[in-house]
Amino acid sequence: MAILVTGGAGYIGSHTVVELLNTGKEVVIIDDFSNSKQEVLNAIREITKKDFKFYEINYLNREALEKVFEENKIEAVMNFAGFKAVGESIKKPIEYYTNNVSGALVLLDTMRKYGVKTFVFSSSATVYGDPEKIPITEECKTGETTNPYGTSKLFIEQILKDLYVSDNSWNICILRYFNPVGAHESGLIGEEPQGIPNNLMPYVVRVAAGTLKELSVFGNDYNTPDGTGVRDYIHVVDLAKGHIKALEKLEREQKGLYIYNLGTGNGYSVLDMVKAFEKTTGKSVAYKITERRQGDIATCYADPTKAKQELGWEAKLGIEEMCRDSWNYIERHK
């Protein structure tokens, strides 16, 4: 029996595949390389010394997706196949809703057809919108999202809740990520955005490496200690391990719908991250303050207590490891 990982060549998907293979799971990956690269697959093999099946398809292609289910004994699905750039989603809402929401519907319908009802969903803290309180617990209200990316995640969460109400033999875990950064300690896999990066750390490391001129800091007039946006940055390896814990819970419980925040519980500003990167690596990062970015909020960090209590999971890697591993990945791939 295998775990199907959609978007398994992507940033978070690839790190989760490594953890799945390391725990002895059989893995089937699908990816269309719209925001990932083929060489990641060989890097996963090199890290784990294990193999897996791979299909180059888009999960919107029902016929191709059904072939995957026909040819493999799938026991559970982890869905990472989503577009994920906040700014881009504001410019391309139709593309985001089509890929993220319609793709999820095709995937869930195909799972239903083949009797596969265990599902781990890659959601986001953006579903909380501008949060009503900090730190954010799972009980905080969702909605009033500030961008189509976050709204697409919110829609899929609602679909999953409705699906569970209609048939409570489903076994679903929704993981609300905060801000994933870092890379595998080997430096073989990491965040490799197509084109200009949208996220902070890939931009920082490319400025430090000289491939980009300077970092734009979007706004320094937020109500935060230094005026720049505060986020809960979590090491991608910690995040990947959270998925293993989620899958283990679903295997224990057999049915239910569970929601967890995956974050560290610490908030760092943009300038905190720049300074920490400079201190850890000895590299300087040129930056300029620019206008606030549409869709951004001032402060967002997690209360991860529930994940610790119910999954036995907590983030172990700190800001230094996040910076060190991000830089190590760039150094290896110059």
Side-chain angles (χ1 to χ4, degrees):
M1 299 290 275
I3 311 300
L4 175 62
V5 182
T6 69
Y11 177 42
I12 300 164
S14 62
H15 286 83
T16 304
V17 168
V18 166
E19 299 302 325
L20 285 167
L21 291 169
N22 283 342
T23 57
K25 291 290 187 186
E26 187 184 335
V27 174
V28 177
I29 295 175
I30 66 172
D31 205 301
D32 67 354
F33 301 122
S34 60
N35 196 28
S36 57
K37 293 186 175 171
Q38 199 154 359
E39 49 262 38
V40 168
L41 302 175
N42 285 331
I44 294 169
R45 293 183 181 103
E46 190 175 335
I47 291 166
T48 62
K49 305 294 185 278
K50 293 180 180 175
D51 204 3
F52 48 85
K53 282 182 85 169
F54 172 74
Y55 295 79
E56 185 176 349
I57 63 168
N58 185 305
Y59 73 155
L60 281 156
N61 184 337
R62 188 183 296 264
E63 193 180 334
L65 191 60
E66 288 195 0
K67 185 168 180 264
V68 176
F69 280 82
E70 292 278 356
E71 293 179 358
N72 300 278
K73 286 195 166 105
I74 306 294
E75 62 176 311
V77 176
M78 290 188 174
N79 180 25
F80 299 95
F83 293 159
K84 61 175 188 175
V86 167
E88 183 183 61
S89 77
I90 292 167
K91 296 187 182 82
K92 297 181 173 179
I94 291 174
E95 288 83 350
Y96 269 68
Y97 290 126
T98 301
N99 185 70
N100 294 9
V101 182
S102 299
L105 285 168
V106 171
L107 178 61
L108 291 164
D109 195 28
T110 306
M111 288 175 65
R112 180 174 62 172
K113 178 175 177 177
Y114 289 89
V116 180
K117 293 185 174 180
T118 300
F119 190 66
V120 179
F121 177 54
S122 166
S123 191
S124 164
T126 54
V127 300
Y128 295 111
D130 203 342
E132 58 183 334
K133 66 172 185 177
I134 300 289
I136 301 168
T137 69
E138 291 82 354
E139 282 65 52
C140 287
K141 70 176 172 57
T142 58
E144 297 179 21
T145 44
T146 59
N147 55 76
Y149 163 72
T151 308
S152 75
K153 295 294 189 183
L154 186 69
F155 286 167
I156 298 165
E157 285 199 9
Q158 189 59 52
I159 290 163
L160 292 171
K161 290 171 185 173
D162 292 341
L163 182 59
Y164 183 71
V165 168
S166 75
D167 176 1
N168 64 12
S169 66
W170 278 82
N171 203 11
I172 296 166
C173 193
I174 294 169
L175 299 176
R176 292 175 178 158
Y177 307 167
F178 281 69
N179 289 63
V181 296
H184 192 268
E185 64 180 1
S186 66
L188 291 169
I189 56 173
E191 192 164 9
E192 190 64 49
Q194 310 281 36
I196 302 294
N198 285 287
N199 295 336
L200 176 64
M201 191 55 83
Y203 214 109
V204 165
V205 293
R206 283 159 181 78
V207 172
T211 53
L212 291 171
K213 184 186 166 195
E214 62 188 359
L215 172 72
S216 293
V217 177
F218 298 108
N220 66 342
D221 57 351
Y222 288 106
N223 184 20
T224 62
D226 64 18
T228 64
V230 169
R231 297 290 181 271
D232 187 336
Y233 295 95
I234 174 172
H235 198 294
V236 66
V237 173
D238 277 332
L239 186 62
K241 288 177 176 173
H243 291 75
I244 307 305
K245 293 290 191 183
L247 186 63
E248 287 170 357
K249 181 177 177 71
L250 294 181
E251 288 170 344
R252 285 194 307 273
E253 304 291 345
Q254 299 297 306
K255 59 183 183 178
L257 187 145
Y258 311 94
I259 299 174
Y260 299 101
N261 288 335
L262 294 186
T264 64
N266 299 309
Y268 294 104
S269 75
V270 174
L271 294 183
D272 286 337
M273 292 299 282
V274 169
K275 287 169 189 162
F277 180 85
E278 290 180 329
K279 184 181 173 192
T280 302
T281 65
K283 299 288 175 183
S284 61
V285 178
Y287 67 86
K288 65 176 179 185
I289 306 297
T290 65
E291 297 281 306
R292 288 187 184 192
R293 184 170 56 181
Q294 189 182 356
D296 278 350
I297 58 174
T299 303
C300 180
Y301 61 91
D303 179 345
T305 305
K306 188 180 174 190
K308 184 176 181 181
Q309 290 174 342
E310 295 187 16
L311 298 180
W313 173 89
E314 62 181 323
K316 296 278 203 297
L317 300 168
I319 193 168
E320 285 185 8
E321 289 94 342
M322 297 176 205
C323 295
R324 180 200 67 207
D325 293 341
S326 296
W327 180 242
N328 181 39
Y329 175 74
I330 283 292
E331 285 277 82
R332 281 196 67 123
H333 291 262
K334 269 183 184 174

